[in-house]
Amino acid sequence: MLDLKEVAKNFEAVVARLKTRSGTLDLSRFQELFGERKKLNVELEKNQAEKNSAQEVMKDPAKRTDEVKARMKDLGVVIKDQEAKLKAVEEELFPQMMLVPNVPHESVPVGADETFNKVEKTWGEKPSFLFTPKQHFELGEKLGLLDFERGVKVSGPRFAFSKGALARLERALVSFMIDEHSKRGYTELLPPYLVSRESMTGTGQLPKFEDDAFKTTTGRELFLIPTAEVPVTNFHADEILEGPLPVKYVAFSPCFRAEAGAAGKDTRGLIRMHQFHKVEIVKFAHPSTSLDELTSLVEDAENILEKLGLPYRRTLLCTGDMGFASQKTFDLEVWLPGQNAFREISSCSNFGDFQARRAKIRFRPAPGEKPQLVHTLNGSGLAVGRTVVAILENNQREDGSVGLPEVLWPYMGGLKELVATR
């Protein structure tokens, strides 16, 4: 959530920057309420100042008059009425603020959609084939390791079974990713997969994106997590961090998304599922260094792709393509030969103090100093299912078998390739 005081100080500039985010963003009521709030505050301050002056006059018996007494009484009534109106405006403003996204950082390029994103880096050689490369779902099904039909039978569309060596590949990737991030100073957490409404609100998933969430309908209301970002960020909710920053965590979890706004997109394969696995990296950083921490967080995710030998590019998202809570985001897009396209495999964001204000996460700069809001960051390190997709498509052979990256052999019990099995 934005800082009400800071928005008030720079209202026109904040609104102008917010309007670069998306053509569908409606700030009309937000602007209207802020205008009412400003007008009431000005009037209230003026009347309170006049009342204070009248009180000073009343202290002098020589100047104390019935006229001054009457004016003080009138001012008291007016001030009480204005305070009630201001309270009503701010009570309506708060839920409006919860629907207002973060203000893009000044270094984020302005643009309406993904066509305005800026490619900043490309790594690796795209594989060349003497045959037409297949998409991952064709490869997985022909190998007998990926079963969409039974996934639909058991759970419905956008679910699948991974089998045998492919199931083991997911486990191998999770272990490999966590080991690599641990080497870079991240502490592993195994988080809850069900969280409260407060936790979902703290990271910005609610109230705006409730339609994309799965939630329980019996007993206490709980939400299945859309990403480990939610429980891991809320690990320090309502706390003051006393030690040195940054604090860094890595967590594996299944992720659950209703994908309410994705009808008709990626209907085949593992790209857009209701349930998938992901390794998440999260940082709590000092405001003065959080942009540098974003750079290193992106590099930590890139390290996984490079060790797996997967070609990718790093893209700085424009204002119109960023997530709701993000201040600045880089996407890592892996090359998929079967689609002949780059597809997102990691999104790394700096949220500034947007999440920390909602979740009340602070740090103490030095012993005895007043606590300040921390900056939160996170990114996929990586989305496991999409990494499987990339491995299948980039390492496929003409006979349908798939070679495995050498760094994964120890995690696969020495297995070096995926071959057909039934």
Side-chain angles (χ1 to χ4, degrees):
M1 187 168 68
L2 300 179
D3 183 346
L4 198 61
K5 292 180 181 178
E6 288 301 313
V7 173
K9 286 179 187 177
N10 307 285
F11 186 71
E12 297 302 326
V14 168
V15 169
R17 192 64 175 162
L18 284 172
K19 285 184 174 179
T20 67
R21 268 187 159 270
S22 168
T24 61
L25 181 62
D26 184 4
L27 295 171
S28 55
R29 187 56 181 155
F30 171 70
Q31 290 177 267
E32 185 180 330
L33 288 169
F34 244 97
E36 290 181 30
R37 179 180 181 272
K38 181 179 180 180
K39 180 182 177 183
L40 284 167
N41 270 321
V42 169
E43 292 174 352
L44 190 58
E45 287 175 7
K46 177 184 175 183
N47 289 328
Q48 285 174 331
E50 186 178 346
K51 185 181 178 182
N52 291 338
S53 296
Q55 286 175 331
E56 288 300 315
V57 170
M58 291 292 289
K59 291 178 182 179
D60 185 349
K63 297 180 180 179
R64 190 183 304 157
T65 66
D66 290 340
E67 184 180 352
V68 175
K69 286 181 183 179
R71 181 57 181 158
M72 280 189 62
K73 184 177 179 181
D74 290 343
L75 285 169
V77 172
V78 171
I79 288 170
K80 186 175 180 180
D81 179 62
Q82 288 175 333
E83 287 175 336
K85 288 179 179 177
L86 182 60
K87 182 180 179 183
V89 167
E90 292 190 338
E91 284 177 350
E92 187 181 348
L93 184 59
F94 180 77
Q96 286 291 322
M97 290 285 288
M98 296 296 278
L99 297 173
V100 175
N102 205 349
V103 179
H105 189 267
E106 59 187 14
S107 61
V108 174
V110 174
D113 54 42
E114 62 184 13
T115 59
F116 292 87
N117 294 344
K118 181 182 177 183
V119 177
E120 294 201 337
K121 172 185 176 181
T122 300
W123 183 92
E125 293 287 333
K126 297 177 184 177
S128 59
F129 301 97
L130 300 177
F131 57 93
T132 301
K134 295 181 174 62
Q135 294 200 55
H136 69 281
F137 48 84
E138 300 173 281
L139 293 162
E141 288 178 324
K142 287 189 176 182
L143 288 169
L145 300 176
L146 194 54
D147 195 324
F148 293 99
E149 185 177 335
R150 288 188 172 96
V152 172
K153 178 181 72 174
V154 170
S155 302
R158 299 186 189 270
F159 289 94
F161 280 94
S162 291
K163 181 181 175 184
L166 196 65
R168 181 166 188 169
L169 177 58
E170 288 225 11
R171 284 194 293 118
L173 282 167
V174 170
S175 296
F176 166 69
M177 291 176 188
I178 289 176
D179 285 351
E180 285 298 312
H181 291 307
S182 297
K183 292 174 187 176
R184 290 178 171 235
Y186 291 85
T187 299
E188 183 179 358
L189 290 178
L190 185 61
Y193 305 151
L194 288 161
V195 295
S196 66
R197 177 173 288 272
E198 291 75 20
S199 293
M200 290 282 280
T201 302
T203 46
Q205 276 74 25
L206 298 183
K208 191 171 179 64
F209 302 107
E210 188 158 349
D211 288 345
D212 285 320
F214 288 108
K215 63 180 176 180
T216 59
T217 56
T218 57
R220 184 162 64 94
E221 180 189 62
L222 292 169
F223 291 80
L224 287 163
I225 61 172
T227 164
E229 166 197 348
V230 179
V232 176
T233 302
N234 281 282
F235 185 70
H236 288 301
D238 296 304
E239 291 184 14
I240 298 173
L241 301 174
E242 300 285 356
L245 296 175
V247 175
K248 301 160 56 175
Y249 295 110
V250 58
F252 156 76
S253 78
C255 304
F256 306 91
R257 298 184 186 178
E259 296 287 0
K265 297 179 181 178
D266 298 306
T267 54
R268 297 193 67 187
L270 298 172
I271 293 292
R272 200 178 296 273
M273 306 290 282
H274 287 314
Q275 175 188 312
F276 59 95
H277 294 140
K278 187 148 69 80
V279 171
E280 192 80 0
I281 45 179
V282 175
K283 287 186 180 183
F284 300 86
H286 194 287
S288 66
T289 61
S290 67
L291 286 176
D292 291 334
E293 293 297 340
L294 176 60
T295 298
S296 65
L297 184 136
V298 172
E299 291 170 350
D300 293 335
E302 289 177 340
N303 173 58
I304 303 296
L305 286 165
E306 292 175 11
K307 290 204 168 182
L308 292 171
L310 297 172
Y312 71 90
R313 67 185 186 187
R314 181 206 300 165
T315 303
L316 174 61
L317 300 194
C318 70
T319 54
D321 199 31
M322 286 169 46
F324 174 81
S326 176
Q327 189 180 76
K328 184 173 184 176
T329 296
F330 290 97
D331 273 3
L332 299 181
E333 302 168 330
V334 70
W335 175 249
L336 299 183
Q339 293 190 24
N340 193 38
F342 284 100
R343 295 299 302 269
E344 178 198 332
I345 196 168
S346 173
S347 190
C348 300
S349 298
N350 183 348
F351 302 96
D353 59 16
F354 190 86
Q355 292 180 327
R357 181 170 288 103
R358 286 175 172 233
K360 299 180 179 64
I361 308 170
R362 297 172 293 167
F363 74 101
R364 199 180 300 280
E369 290 190 9
K370 183 180 178 180
Q372 299 176 24
L373 290 170
V374 76
H375 280 197
T376 60
L377 306 88
N378 70 54
S380 306
L382 304 165
V384 179
R386 294 192 180 198
T387 308
V388 169
V389 169
I391 288 172
L392 290 175
E393 294 197 12
N394 281 279
N395 295 283
Q396 62 182 291
R397 301 167 180 151
E398 192 168 8
D399 64 1
S401 63
V402 176
L404 295 176
E406 187 173 348
V407 291
L408 296 180
W409 295 353
Y411 295 92
M412 294 291 294
L415 188 68
K416 299 180 181 180
E417 61 181 0
L418 303 179
V419 296
T421 180
R422 293 294 171 188

